[in-house]
């Protein structure tokens, strides 16, 4: 079998564009997923069941339905209500953010609830407000425990951004498929794409290990 | 200083406090004893509202805990608490454990908080541990740090919930001696403990709780040597 590197070279500018798009939607998904997920996780821990209810169902929906369906709903259902010309990259980023927020919320909740009750009580007994106790006592300890599950979730998110293909969002997978179609070749474009995802996910995994080590020694 | 009237508290259908009345004067050391499950911890935790109560009232230093305009955080600033399991903050050094609340709650500048912390560490005999992490301390050391941490807020009242029960026997003495010193300095203290020697020596008054009620109270020598109630006698015969 001959491996045609010239196809990769020729398509390199597109793969590069796709790489940037993949990194972009993943970063947006991670950042907004974290912000929205923190909020939803806190909502799910509310003491009143009626306050909890919408957050519980948000999480149920986004964890219990396929991401592909969510992407299609966002792109062809929600976005046209807001924009005349929905942009597939934007739709993908929104769907990934909403989806990862559900997982992040659960990680937050589990992390916070894993901290011994005595920590909150000690903080409150010293006159700290609930918010101060969260900020100085609970979150610093909980965040450390959340690093590995967050890394897992975001690795999944990077890989799942390839589903943007179904709405023709021009991320790296889209360009891989385009190259495959143009040259009638399988190995060169898809192995290139696979390699790119591998580099991204391994980097994230390294970063996670680094953070874990950094925060476990201090 | 502390006035408790008809305090009632239930967990679901289980009534844990069935109408507690107690009056604790400034500078008094009150020791609470009683069998497991009698409601001692719950009573203590109601005094700084770590546990909400259902009925009755608690007035601390003239402030009614249940009044609408009461700022609970302000009350807690004046009421220190020491827990059985220390509850030190494991991600902070001993020094930061002690300075955090004075800096964040009382808004002291760092220098003032650290000076106070070092003074308290000297008092509990642990200056050399200022930069250690809680993990590296023995149980007795951890509990002394926890006492210093509570004292750093300069509370008017200190609550102790079985402060020596989680300690190896050889470390009980070092914690009790810190508490004794504190009592001698005139701190108002409410202490739940099974250390009858401490109760007798340091306590001004002993409350015996059973089944969610204060069954009997009195000076240690009276209560220990001439208990009036059968339940008190039965309990004391087991622990003394
Ligand atoms: N958060 C809670 N939820 C439900 N029940 C509780 C809770 N806390 C305490 N109880 C129950 O209330 C009763 C009194 O508990 P409490 O901890 O006040 O007893 P105690 O006198 O301190 O006992 P011990 O000597 O074992 O510490 C017990 O039956 C206990 O099981
Ligand atoms: Mg108890």
């Amino acid at each position: 079998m001959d491996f045609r590197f010239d196809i990769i070279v020729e398509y390199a500018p597109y793969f590069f564009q796709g790489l940037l798009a993949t990194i972009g939607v993943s970063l947006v998904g991670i950042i907004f997923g974290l912000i929205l997920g923190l909020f939803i996780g806190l909502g799910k821990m509310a003491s009143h069941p009626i306050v909890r209810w919408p957050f519980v169902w948000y999480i149920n929906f986004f964890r219990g339905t396929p991401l592909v369906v969510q992407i299609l709903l966002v792109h062809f259902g929600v976005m046209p209500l807001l924009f005349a010309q929905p942009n597939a990259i934007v739709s993908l980023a929104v769907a990934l953010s909403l989806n990862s927020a559900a997982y992040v919320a659960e990680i937050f909740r589990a992390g916070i609830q894993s901290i011994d009750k005595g920590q909150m009580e000690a903080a409150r007994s010293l006159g700290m407000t609930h918010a101060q106790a969260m900020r100085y006592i609970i979150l610093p300890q909980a965040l450390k425990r959340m690093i590995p599950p967050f890394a897992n979730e975001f690795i999944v998110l990077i890989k799942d951004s390839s589903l943007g293909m179904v709405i023709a969002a021009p991320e790296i997978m889209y360009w891989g498929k385009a190259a495959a179609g143009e040259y009638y070749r399988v190995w060169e474009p898809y192995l290139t794409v696979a390699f790119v995802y591998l580099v991204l996910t391994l980097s994230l995994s390294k970063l996670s290990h680094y953070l874990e080590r950094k925060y476990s020694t201090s | 200083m502390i006035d408790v009237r008809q305090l009632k508290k239930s967990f679901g259908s289980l009534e844990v406090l069935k109408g507690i009345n107690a009056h604790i004067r400034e500078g008094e050391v009150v020791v609470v004893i009683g069998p497991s499950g009698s409601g001692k911890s719950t009573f203590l935790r109601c005094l700084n509202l770590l546990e909400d109560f259902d009925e009755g009232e608690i007035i601390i230093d003239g402030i009614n805990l249940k009044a609408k305009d009461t700022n609970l955080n302000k009350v807690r600033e004046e009421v220190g608490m020491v827990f059985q399991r220390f509850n030190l903050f494991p991600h902070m050094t001993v020094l930061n454990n002690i300075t955090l609340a004075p800096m964040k709650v009382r808004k002291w500048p760092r220098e003032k908080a650290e000076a106070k912390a070092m003074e308290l560490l000297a008092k509990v005999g642990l200056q050399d541990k200022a930069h250690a992490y809680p993990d590296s301390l023995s149980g007795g050391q951890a509990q002394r740090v926890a006492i210093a941490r509570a004292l750093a807020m300069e509370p008017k009242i200190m609550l102790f919930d079985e402060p020596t029960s989680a300690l190896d026997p050889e470390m009980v003495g070092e914690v009790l001696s810190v508490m004794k010193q504190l009592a001698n300095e005139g701190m108002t203290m409410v202490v739940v403990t099974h250390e009858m020697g401490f109760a007798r020596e340091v306590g001004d008054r002993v409350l015996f709780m059973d089944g969610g009620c204060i069954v009997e109270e009195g000076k240690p020598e009276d209560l220990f040597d001439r208990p009036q109630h059968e339940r008190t006698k039965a309990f004391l015969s087991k622990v003394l």
Side-chain angles (χ1 to χ4, degrees), chain B residues 113-220:
Chain B
E114 286 186 352
K116 176 80 187 176
M118 291 313 292
E119 174 197 320
L120 287 166
L121 281 175
K123 182 169 172 171
V124 301
L126 291 170
Q127 305 99 299
D128 54 323
K129 296 291 182 188
H131 300 288
Y133 280 88
D135 280 354
S136 67
L137 303 178
S138 71
Q141 292 170 335
Q143 195 59 296
R144 284 183 283 155
V145 171
I147 294 173
R149 178 176 70 177
L151 290 176
M153 288 295 288
E154 304 187 328
K156 297 185 179 138
I157 299 164
M158 285 283 283
L159 309 175
F160 294 83
D161 191 2
E162 302 199 28
T164 58
S165 298
L167 300 180
D168 292 337
E170 72 270 22
M171 294 172 183
V172 169
E174 64 196 53
V175 171
L176 291 181
S177 83
V178 168
M179 291 168 62
K180 203 180 300 176
Q181 190 191 344
L182 201 56
N184 289 337
E185 290 167 8
M187 176 65 78
T188 308
M189 294 164 56
V190 185
V191 185
V192 175
T193 186
H194 295 301
E195 294 293 330
M196 297 303 157
F198 176 86
R200 198 184 270 273
E201 189 186 343
V202 183
D204 295 311
R205 201 145 48 97
V206 179
L207 309 183
F208 171 65
M209 281 184 75
D210 194 9
C213 304
I214 294 178
V215 174
E216 185 168 352
E217 62 171 288
K219 291 208 170 69

Side-chain angles (χ1 to χ4, degrees), chain A:
Chain A
M1 188 190 90
D2 63 325
F3 194 89
R4 288 183 50 198
F5 279 102
D6 60 299
I7 293 180
I8 300 171
V9 172
E10 202 168 310
Y11 242 71
Y14 300 112
F15 282 138
F16 186 68
Q17 268 182 36
L19 170 66
L20 292 185
T22 294
I23 293 176
V25 293
S26 299
L27 276 180
V28 169
I30 289 170
I31 292 164
F32 284 92
L34 278 172
I35 296 169
L36 196 58
L38 172 61
F39 175 73
I40 293 166
L42 291 175
K44 198 186 169 184
M45 282 186 284
S47 47
H48 202 294
I50 300 200
V51 179
R52 261 197 322 262
W53 190 84
F55 300 101
V56 169
W57 276 98
Y58 180 97
I59 294 170
N60 284 345
F61 178 79
F62 281 98
R63 294 207 314 171
T65 60
L67 178 56
V68 177
V69 176
Q70 296 163 19
I71 291 172
L72 292 172
L73 281 174
V74 167
H75 187 58
F76 295 113
V78 179
M79 293 314 244
L81 303 175
L82 307 171
F83 305 101
Q85 294 271 294
N87 177 309
I89 286 286
V90 174
S91 297
L92 177 60
V94 169
L96 288 174
S97 303
L98 295 176
N99 179 273
S100 78
Y103 288 90
V104 165
E106 281 299 80
I107 295 170
F108 263 121
R109 188 189 56 76
I112 287 170
Q113 290 182 344
S114 76
I115 303 299
D116 181 53
K117 258 187 20 267
Q119 293 287 305
M120 178 56 94
E121 294 186 345
R124 298 307 300 272
S125 78
L126 289 164
M128 282 187 233
T129 62
H130 184 85
Q132 285 175 322
M134 272 291 173
R135 166 149 178 230
Y136 299 114
I137 307 302
I138 307 298
L139 284 178
Q141 295 181 61
L143 284 172
K144 199 192 309 182
R145 296 187 190 177
M146 294 175 199
I147 294 171
F150 273 149
N152 264 333
E153 163 53 20
F154 296 142
I155 284 171
V156 171
L157 183 147
I158 291 175
K159 293 188 292 179
D160 281 357
S161 69
S162 59
L163 292 171
M165 200 177 73
V166 299
I167 54 172
E171 35 69 54
I172 183 95
M173 183 66 215
Y174 169 92
W175 290 113
K177 189 147 188 294
E182 186 171 338
Y183 297 100
Y184 298 105
R185 301 286 294 190
V186 172
W187 292 99
E188 291 83 355
Y190 290 141
L191 279 181
T192 307
V193 168
F195 178 74
V196 168
Y197 282 115
L198 196 58
V199 170
L200 291 178
T201 53
L202 285 179
S203 312
L204 187 55
S205 166
K206 275 261 178 294
L207 176 67
S208 144
H209 285 139
Y210 166 77
L211 290 174
E212 240 179 296
R213 236 177 303 119
K214 182 171 160 194
Y215 289 111
S216 65
T217 48
S218 70

Side-chain angles (χ1 to χ4, degrees), chain B:
Chain B
M1 181 126 251
I2 305 179
D3 232 327
V4 181
R5 292 190 204 126
Q6 282 304 320
L7 177 67
K8 291 188 185 173
K9 161 83 187 168
S10 300
F11 289 111
S13 59
L14 177 70
E15 189 169 34
V16 177
L17 299 178
K18 301 176 180 165
I20 302 277
N21 291 291
H23 179 76
I24 295 159
R25 287 181 298 277
E26 188 165 356
E28 203 178 14
V29 176
V30 172
V31 176
V32 182
I33 60 172
S36 180
S38 56
K40 307 179 299 291
S41 298
T42 308
F43 170 52
L44 206 63
R45 291 156 57 81
C46 283
L47 294 180
N48 66 354
L49 272 197
L50 277 185
E51 212 74 74
D52 198 5
F53 51 93
D54 306 323
E55 279 177 53
E57 55 186 15
I58 298 178
I59 295 163
I60 290 185
D61 208 15
I63 303 170
N64 188 332
L65 294 195
K66 276 289 178 80
K68 278 199 193 62
D69 55 350
T70 297
N71 180 344
L72 281 182
N73 297 319
K74 281 273 174 268
V75 176
R76 292 197 182 110
E77 288 174 28
E78 310 301 336
V79 184
M81 184 153 188
V82 174
F83 302 85
Q84 183 176 353
R85 313 236 4 106
F86 330 133
N87 297 346
L88 292 179
F89 307 134
H91 58 304
M92 294 179 181
T93 61
V94 163
L95 187 66
N96 289 339
N97 261 272
I98 301 175
T99 57
L100 182 71
M103 285 169 59
K104 300 301 175 190
V105 178
R106 291 234 192 264
K107 311 287 182 210
W108 288 3
R110 175 176 295 279
E111 304 73 61
K112 181 176 174 191
E114 286 186 352
K116 176 80 187 176
M118 291 313 292
E119 174 197 320
L120 287 166
L121 281 175
K123 182 169 172 171
V124 301
L126 291 170
Q127 305 99 299
D128 54 323
K129 296 291 182 188
H131 300 288
Y133 280 88
D135 280 354
S136 67
L137 303 178
S138 71
Q141 292 170 335
Q143 195 59 296
R144 284 183 283 155
V145 171
I147 294 173
R149 178 176 70 177
L151 290 176
M153 288 295 288
E154 304 187 328
K156 297 185 179 138
I157 299 164
M158 285 283 283
L159 309 175
F160 294 83
D161 191 2
E162 302 199 28
T164 58
S165 298
L167 300 180
D168 292 337
E170 72 270 22
M171 294 172 183
V172 169
E174 64 196 53
V175 171
L176 291 181
S177 83
V178 168
M179 291 168 62
K180 203 180 300 176
Q181 190 191 344
L182 201 56
N184 289 337
E185 290 167 8
M187 176 65 78
T188 308
M189 294 164 56
V190 185
V191 185
V192 175
T193 186
H194 295 301
E195 294 293 330
M196 297 303 157
F198 176 86
R200 198 184 270 273
E201 189 186 343
V202 183
D204 295 311
R205 201 145 48 97
V206 179
L207 309 183
F208 171 65
M209 281 184 75
D210 194 9
C213 304
I214 294 178
V215 174
E216 185 168 352
E217 62 171 288
K219 291 208 170 69
E221 54 273 23
D222 294 334
L223 193 120
F224 287 132
D225 300 336
R226 290 174 293 282
Q228 302 297 313
H229 283 262
E230 285 311 315
R231 282 195 278 174
T232 321
K233 286 177 194 164
F235 175 74
L236 290 176
S237 72
K238 266 182 263 160
V239 297
L240 285 180

